[in-house]
């Protein structure tokens, strides 16, 4: 610095200048061992008079020197000798960790250089898709339980690839408008879609691919591959390669020729044949919009229905109609269709019957569908993978027993119904049935309906929506035996406990106050008969299927406890009525025939439950797919409770509403069920070997809501009860299914529980010692007569002497009980829980297993 810019020397006597000169030389702050601070020579011209500029120049060097020990490697505080100056030399404190723009820029350049180099190598190394290879599909082979072939289905027809000129412009426009509006201008990838996929996989979420048509086409090539990051990266490279190297028409044709449309149809040509019976080139814009809708996901959009509770035919058709209309409107919005042309298509396109349906006549379609759903649920196989085929599936279905069940239903149908003579009553009557092995839970037979070849696609054995009526009452009784009631102070009750059974008795809630009907008056429960039963035991109430005692019992034990018992035996929670009213005890829930048969098998197996299953083995490419061992057993209830339920239900067959089942000629237990307005009738029964349920109902399968219709006057009779037609079918089937099987009895039931009568029940009174000529009085003065009339009380014969009435005695009057009778109750009553802990049975045994085999896995053939 020049001399004329320096200030004059300051006085040596002190002041701030002296303080500043002294500051660098304080101990611990100046140069010392390992320090870089330079010292002025003693004899220099500025030894006595340092300037402030010198101090400023010295300060940074001192600071830098303090940052490095001994100055080694630091170049006197300079970072130039390091390849990467980080943390940064020449900076103090947190500033040392702030990267320079050179470091940031260099890092980004290096990162992108690596990415581009890797992408280039990846793109160069991948192969483009082969649409012909992707569209190939094989048959799925379904076998009977004995290993013989039932049917080979899927993957065999209409798999040809068609060129772009054979795909109508209307189909191309519909798909581009709905799936990828920018398809003709994009480079084959969607950066935002890729980012979502990376984030989802990094966070452990579901894998998610890109949304462009190119990426979807590439994805279709890897249906058999695992959902891994490696696969996603490979797909990305192929999509990028196609986006820059392939014509758009080639990519679009490849996508439409490999996509899955439902009905086992891969490719646009197969789909056009499967849904409309025509070649792809002949599709009109409305049909094209429908097929474009299927690309959204045929499991939820195919009007035939799909897998899962949300994929019913009704729900799917509703979604398909909305999507179809949206696709047409979308074509107008993006300029691929004029509004005037859009206005031509107001009607949802009609479809032909699928070739698959025509190829699986009789019960085969229902058997295959149940087994297929079980396989997909158990092994996590998608519908698209299943449609590609190559699986050999061994089912639990036994052909002799399936044939026996079909014969029992059809013999009864042919004799019972006459649609020409009584078209207003005998049309739309539906039958459903299922039979389960007690010791394993295997579904050995089912009857789903007249057959897919008769255009009846709903499986009556596996459908929910048909109330089970009084077949629900055993769960109410079992809950009372397990958990007790308010009157038993938490102790399990005995079946000898008495309840009022008179018609139109007021039902009280858990607080002891009358339930209120919709009009605000006390709710009175209706029986099938007006006969004044008085107070009866629960055993007798089950025998005669009287409504009133169970309508009161469900409040005494608590609705939630009944649900727990039903769920433990295999009833799906979603099929249970959610209302906590009196009708809940009478069968307003809607489990399937499969679930009811499996649930009653729990009683037959002394409280051991096994989930129903329909497949024992699946082979793909010569290897077994794991997970198909029979389901593991669980303890649903104490054996003494289950055996007592069996004892009560045996009495129903021997002396009650199910006496037609006595024709079986071996020990059997069961329960009848008939619902309000005679809309459904059930018989669910079992032997120690088999548990079988039969349901009868009436609805129009082509109607919009498929609502149940009354069966009054069906078959020329006033009303249908569970003890009539369903019991007759059950008996005929079980007799044939158990032919040659040794007769086996149920375990003996021990007396359990405490007698806990309902409020107002008469109590036994001590009687005087009778004289020799006087008989002892009855211990209970208000019981039903020794010979009580039938619950119907109308004086009419319960049956007519017809072939399907196995034990008809025209001289006997009466009928069975309507399980959901009794009018409307006000819903939503809290059940208030239960008092005390679950009661223990009188036995000290831990619970008999009820079967010799232990199994493991999970079930998919649901109800």
């Amino acid at each position: 610095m020049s001399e004329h810019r320096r200030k004059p020397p300051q006085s040596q006597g002190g002041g701030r200048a002296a303080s500043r000169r002294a500051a660098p030389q304080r101990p611990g702050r100046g140069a010392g061992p390992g320090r870089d601070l330079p010292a002025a020579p003693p004899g220099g011209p500025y030894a006595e008079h340092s300037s402030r500029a010198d101090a400023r120049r010295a300060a940074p060097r001192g600071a830098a020197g303090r940052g490095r020990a001994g100055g080694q490697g630091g170049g006197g505080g300079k970072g130039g000798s390091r390849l990467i100056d980080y943390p940064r030399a020449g900076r103090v404190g947190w500033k040392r960790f702030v990267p320079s723009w050179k470091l940031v820029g260099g890092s980004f350049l290096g990162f992108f250089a690596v990415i581009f180099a890797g992408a280039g190598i990846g793109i160069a190394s991948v192969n483009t898709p082969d649409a012909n290879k992707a569209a190939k599909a094989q048959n799925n082979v379904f076998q009977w339980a004995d290993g013989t072939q039932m049917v080979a289905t899927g993957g065999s027809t209409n798999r040809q690839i068609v060129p772009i000129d054979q795909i109508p412009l209307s189909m191309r426009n519909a798909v581009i408008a709905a799936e990828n509006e920018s398809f003709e201008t994009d480079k084959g990838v969607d950066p935002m879609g890729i980012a979502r996929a990376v984030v989802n996989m990094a966070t452990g979420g579901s894998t998610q691919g890109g949304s462009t048509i190119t990426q979807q086409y590439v994805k279709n090539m890897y249906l058999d591959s695992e959902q891994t990051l490696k696969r996603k990266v490979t797909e990305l490279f192929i999509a990028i390669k196609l986006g820059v190297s392939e014509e758009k028409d080639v990519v679009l044709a490849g996508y439409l020729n490999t996509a899955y449309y439902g009905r086992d149809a891969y490719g646009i040509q197969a789909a056009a044949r499967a849904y409309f019976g025509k070649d792809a080139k002949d599709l009109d814009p409305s049909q094209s919009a429908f097929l474009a809708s299927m690309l959204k996901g045929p499991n939820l959009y195919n009007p035939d229905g799909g897998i899962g509770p949300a994929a019913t035919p009704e729900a799917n058709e509703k979604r398909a109609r909305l999507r179809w209309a949206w696709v047409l409107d979308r074509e107008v919005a993006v300029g691929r269709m004029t509004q005037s042309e859009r206005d031509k298509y107001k009607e949802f396109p009609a479809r032909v019957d699928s070739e698959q349906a025509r190829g699986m006549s009789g019960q085969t379609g229902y058997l295959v569908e149940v087994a297929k759903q079980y396989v997909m649920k158990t092994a996590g196989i998608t519908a698209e993978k299943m449609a590609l085929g190559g699986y050999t599936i061994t089912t639990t279905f036994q052909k002799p027993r399936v044939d026996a069940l079909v014969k029992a239903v059809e013999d009864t149908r042919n004799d019972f119904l006459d649609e020409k003579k009584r078209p207003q009553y005998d049309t739309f009557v539906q039958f459903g049935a299922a039979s389960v092995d007690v010791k394993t839970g295997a579904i050995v037979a089912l009857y789903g309906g007249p057959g897919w070849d008769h255009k009846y696609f709903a499986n009556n054995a596996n459908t929910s929506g048909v109330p089970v009526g009084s077949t629900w009452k055993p769960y109410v009784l079992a809950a009372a035996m397990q958990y007790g009631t308010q009157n038993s102070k938490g102790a399990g009750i005995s079946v000898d406990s008495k309840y009022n059974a008179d018609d139109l008795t007021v039902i009280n809630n858990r607080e002891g106050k009358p339930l209120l009907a919709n009009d605000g008056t006390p709710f009175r429960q209706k029986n099938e008969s007006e006969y004044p039963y008085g107070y009866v035991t629960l055993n007798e109430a089950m025998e005669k299927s009287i409504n009133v005692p169970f309508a009161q019992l469900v409040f005494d034990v608590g609705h939630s406890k009944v649900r727990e018992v039903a769920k433990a035996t295999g009833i799906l929670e979603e099929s249970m009525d959610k209302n906590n009213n009196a009708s809940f005890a009478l069968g307003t829930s809607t489990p399937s025939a499969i679930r009811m048969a499996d649930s009653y098998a729990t009683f037959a197996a002394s409280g051991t439950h096994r989930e129903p299953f329909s497949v024992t083995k699946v082979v793909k490419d010569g290897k077994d797919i794991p997970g198909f061992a029979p389901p593991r057993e669980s303890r649903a209830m104490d054996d003494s409770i289950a055996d007592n339920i069996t004892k009560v239900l045996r009495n129903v067959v021997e002396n009650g509403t199910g006496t037609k089942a006595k024709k079986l000629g071996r020990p059997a237990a069961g329960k009848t069920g008939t619902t309000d307005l005679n809309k459904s009738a059930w018989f669910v029964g079992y032997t120690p070997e088999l548990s079988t349920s039969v349901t009868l109902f009436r609805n129009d399968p082509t109607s919009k809501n498929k609502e149940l219709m009354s069966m009054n006057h069906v078959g020329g009779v006033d009303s249908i009860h569970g003890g009539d037609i369903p019991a007759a079918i059950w008996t005929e089937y079980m007799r044939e299914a158990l032919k040659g099987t040794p007769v086996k009895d149920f375990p003996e039931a021990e007396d359990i529980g405490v007698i806990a009568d309902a409020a107002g029940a008469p109590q036994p009174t001590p009687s005087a010692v009778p004289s020799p000529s006087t008989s002892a009085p009855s211990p209970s003065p208000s019981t039903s007569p020794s010979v009580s009339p039938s619950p119907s009380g109308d004086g009419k014969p319960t049956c007519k002497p017809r072939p399907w009435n196995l034990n008809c005695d025209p001289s006997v009057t009466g009928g069975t009980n309507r399980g959901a009778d009794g009018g409307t109750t006000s819903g939503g009553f809290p059940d208030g829980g239960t008092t005390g802990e679950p009661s223990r049975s009188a036995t000290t045994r831990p619970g008999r297993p009820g079967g010799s085999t232990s199994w493991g896995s999970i079930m998919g053939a649901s109800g």
Side-chain angles (χ1 to χ4, degrees):
M1 187 176 291
S2 62
E3 288 294 327
H4 71 274
R5 297 293 300 272
R6 293 200 186 101
K7 289 186 178 182
Q10 299 295 321
S11 170
Q12 302 297 312
R16 286 180 294 179
S19 299
R20 285 195 295 270
R21 285 194 299 272
Q25 300 176 9
R26 285 180 295 173
R29 301 285 294 178
R35 300 290 183 175
D36 291 334
L37 187 64
Y46 300 103
E48 298 287 336
H49 306 283
S50 295
S51 71
R52 283 182 293 179
D54 292 334
R56 284 195 299 270
R57 284 195 297 271
R61 291 197 297 270
R66 288 193 298 271
R68 296 186 61 83
Q72 296 177 1
K78 298 179 181 179
S81 62
R82 292 186 295 168
L83 180 62
I84 299 177
D85 184 20
Y86 192 83
R88 298 174 67 187
R91 292 291 186 270
V92 182
W94 60 269
K95 294 181 179 180
R96 300 177 60 225
F97 299 97
V98 177
S100 66
W101 68 267
K102 294 181 180 179
L103 181 60
V104 173
S107 297
F108 272 107
L109 288 175
F111 174 76
F112 283 110
V114 171
I115 291 295
F116 282 114
I121 296 172
I123 293 172
S125 63
V126 297
N127 296 318
T128 55
D130 182 354
N132 289 282
K133 181 179 179 181
K136 289 182 179 179
Q138 309 172 55
N139 284 328
N140 287 319
V141 178
F142 292 83
Q143 298 178 334
W144 295 103
D146 62 4
T148 58
Q149 182 169 314
M150 178 195 306
V151 68
T153 179
S156 58
T157 59
N158 294 323
R159 300 294 173 177
Q160 64 267 33
I161 302 300
V162 292
I164 193 67
D165 60 3
Q166 295 296 305
I167 300 174
L169 181 61
S170 65
M171 184 66 196
R172 287 177 266 169
N173 284 335
V175 172
I176 293 174
E179 299 286 320
N180 184 188
E181 177 188 349
S182 63
F183 169 72
E184 293 176 336
T185 58
D186 64 37
K187 299 302 181 182
V189 295
D190 175 15
M192 293 303 298
I194 296 169
R196 287 193 302 268
V198 171
V199 171
N200 284 345
M201 286 186 290
T203 57
S206 60
T207 55
Q208 178 180 343
S211 59
T212 69
I213 286 176
T214 306
Q215 288 174 273
Q216 292 181 63
Y217 170 39
V218 174
K219 180 175 68 70
N220 289 344
M221 298 296 300
Y222 293 90
L223 285 173
D224 288 328
S225 301
E226 296 181 358
Q227 297 282 339
T228 62
L229 180 60
K230 178 181 178 181
R231 201 210 80 178
K232 290 292 183 182
V233 172
T234 303
E235 285 182 6
L236 174 63
F237 287 158
I238 296 176
I240 295 173
K241 185 171 185 176
L242 288 177
V244 298
S245 65
E246 196 65 87
E247 295 291 335
K248 289 294 184 178
D249 280 351
V250 174
V251 174
L252 183 59
Y255 173 55
L256 295 177
N257 278 314
T258 58
Y260 181 62
Y261 297 81
R263 285 196 174 183
D264 282 354
Y266 271 92
I268 183 62
Q269 174 67 10
R273 300 298 306 178
Y275 286 101
F276 302 113
K278 60 172 63 174
D279 291 331
K281 62 184 178 62
D282 298 322
L283 292 170
D284 64 35
S286 177
Q287 295 165 339
S288 295
F290 172 86
L291 293 181
S293 301
M294 294 303 100
L295 297 175
K296 181 72 173 175
N299 187 62
L300 294 177
Y301 287 85
N302 179 4
D304 298 341
I307 307 301
T312 63
E314 297 81 10
N316 279 17
E317 175 144 351
K318 182 178 180 180
R319 279 188 288 263
R321 286 176 177 270
L322 292 174
R323 181 72 177 176
W324 165 81
W326 179 86
V327 170
L328 291 172
D329 292 338
R330 180 68 176 164
E331 289 186 70
V332 175
V334 300
R336 292 184 176 272
M337 179 184 286
T338 64
Q339 185 63 52
S340 60
E341 185 178 9
R342 166 67 180 91
D343 293 339
K344 296 178 184 178
Y345 305 109
K346 300 295 186 181
E347 297 295 327
F348 194 58
R351 302 167 303 281
V352 300
D353 296 335
S354 69
E355 293 186 16
Q356 181 187 28
R358 292 193 294 270
M360 291 193 287
S361 60
Q363 298 307 299
T364 304
Y366 308 121
L367 298 173
V368 165
E369 194 64 20
V370 168
K372 184 190 295 184
Q373 290 186 25
Y374 183 84
V375 170
M376 288 191 285
K377 181 175 181 178
T378 302
I381 298 173
T382 64
E384 290 87 346
K385 280 188 179 181
M386 181 62 67
L388 281 176
Y391 298 94
T392 300
I393 300 166
T394 303
T395 71
T396 60
F397 306 126
Q398 300 174 10
K399 189 176 188 305
R401 285 175 166 169
V402 171
D403 292 342
L405 187 54
V406 171
K407 185 177 186 301
V409 171
E410 293 184 350
D411 284 353
T412 302
R413 174 191 286 276
N414 294 337
D415 178 73
F416 174 55
L417 301 178
D418 191 335
E419 296 184 16
K420 293 182 179 179
K421 184 178 180 181
R422 297 179 294 271
Q424 70 272 36
Y425 299 120
D426 287 7
T427 54
F428 306 133
V429 178
Q430 312 294 346
F431 297 80
S435 187
V436 172
D437 186 277
V438 167
K439 291 186 177 181
T440 65
I443 306 170
V444 298
L446 59 79
Y447 183 90
W452 287 10
D453 51 325
H454 290 271
K455 300 182 180 181
Y456 192 87
F457 299 102
N459 185 350
N460 293 339
N462 200 34
T463 188
S464 60
V466 181
V468 296
S470 292
T471 59
W472 192 261
K473 291 174 181 174
Y475 305 123
V476 183
L477 180 58
M481 297 173 73
Q482 180 171 344
Y483 294 104
T485 65
Q486 297 183 127
N487 302 323
S488 70
K489 298 181 181 179
I493 70 171
S494 166
V495 296
D496 293 326
S497 302
K498 297 184 183 66
Y499 272 70
N500 191 348
D502 286 340
D503 189 39
L504 298 177
T505 295
V506 172
I507 304 299
N508 295 323
N509 61 21
R510 286 186 67 82
E511 287 72 42
K513 299 178 181 180
L515 299 178
L516 298 180
N518 290 338
D519 60 2
T521 61
F523 169 74
R524 297 176 180 274
Q525 178 62 55
K526 182 175 177 55
N527 288 330
E528 175 82 5
S529 167
E530 297 178 359
Y531 181 79
Y533 291 103
Y535 281 82
V536 301
T537 66
L538 293 174
N539 184 48
E540 185 178 354
M542 188 75 75
E543 172 191 316
K544 294 180 172 62
S545 201
I546 309 172
N547 287 341
V548 169
F550 292 97
Q552 183 59 60
L553 182 61
V554 74
F555 283 95
D556 290 348
V557 68
H559 291 74
S560 65
K561 299 305 178 186
V562 177
R563 290 188 177 93
E564 286 181 25
V565 168
K567 184 177 179 181
T569 65
I571 300 298
L572 298 178
E573 195 168 3
E574 55 264 31
S575 69
M576 300 184 200
D577 187 351
K578 302 301 186 293
N579 294 311
N580 291 338
N581 53 26
S583 295
F584 174 77
L586 310 179
T588 51
S589 296
T590 59
S592 69
I594 290 175
R595 282 290 172 175
M596 288 301 292
D598 177 72
S599 176
Y600 270 46
T602 304
F603 300 136
S606 295
T608 299
H609 173 247
R610 299 171 180 88
E611 282 285 287
F613 67 103
S614 56
V615 173
T616 58
K617 185 177 183 180
V618 179
V619 177
K620 180 72 160 58
D621 298 328
K623 298 179 181 179
D624 286 359
I625 295 179
F628 290 96
R632 181 177 303 156
E633 64 185 32
S634 63
R635 172 59 58 181
M637 65 186 67
D638 191 87
D639 60 285
S640 61
I641 295 175
D643 292 342
N644 269 272
I645 294 294
T646 294
K647 182 179 179 180
V648 172
L649 297 185
R650 288 189 70 176
N651 185 51
V652 172
V653 172
E654 293 294 326
N655 307 302
T657 58
T659 53
K660 284 184 173 61
K662 290 171 64 177
K663 188 75 172 181
L664 180 61
R666 61 171 70 211
K671 184 69 187 76
T672 58
T674 310
T675 58
D676 195 18
L677 301 179
N678 207 208
K679 290 184 176 180
S680 65
W682 289 75
F683 185 79
V684 187
Y686 54 89
T687 67
E689 301 83 13
L690 282 181
S691 178
T692 302
S693 63
V694 179
T695 182
L696 186 69
F697 59 95
R698 186 173 180 233
N699 74 349
D700 181 358
T702 64
S703 64
K704 183 176 181 180
N705 298 323
K706 297 181 174 58
E707 294 181 352
L708 296 180
M709 306 160 65
S710 174
M711 291 190 293
N712 290 335
H713 310 298
V714 166
V717 298
D718 291 338
S719 60
I720 304 297
H721 297 87
D724 297 329
I725 305 302
I729 293 173
W730 183 91
T731 305
E732 182 180 341
Y733 161 72
M734 292 288 280
R735 186 168 52 226
E736 184 66 26
L738 294 172
K739 184 179 293 184
T741 303
V743 175
K744 183 180 178 182
D745 204 351
F746 294 105
E748 184 177 352
E750 32 178 283
D751 293 334
I752 62 171
V754 299
I755 294 178
D757 299 336
Q763 300 300 316
T765 56
S767 60
V769 177
S771 64
S773 61
T774 305
S775 61
S778 170
S780 179
S782 299
T783 58
S784 59
S786 57
V787 180
S788 61
S790 166
S792 69
D794 56 9
K796 297 180 180 179
T798 59
C799 59
K800 295 181 180 180
R802 305 176 68 166
W804 46 265
N805 285 354
L806 300 181
N807 284 338
C808 179
D809 183 354
S811 65
V812 178
T813 62
T816 63
N817 171 36
R818 291 181 298 171
D821 254 354
T824 305
T825 65
S826 54
F829 298 105
D831 61 27
T834 188
T835 305
E837 294 297 319
S839 65
R840 306 307 303 168
S841 66
T843 177
T844 57
R845 291 174 293 153
R848 195 164 47 251
S852 59
T853 310
S854 178
W855 309 100
S857 185
I858 189 171
M859 155 299 166
S862 73

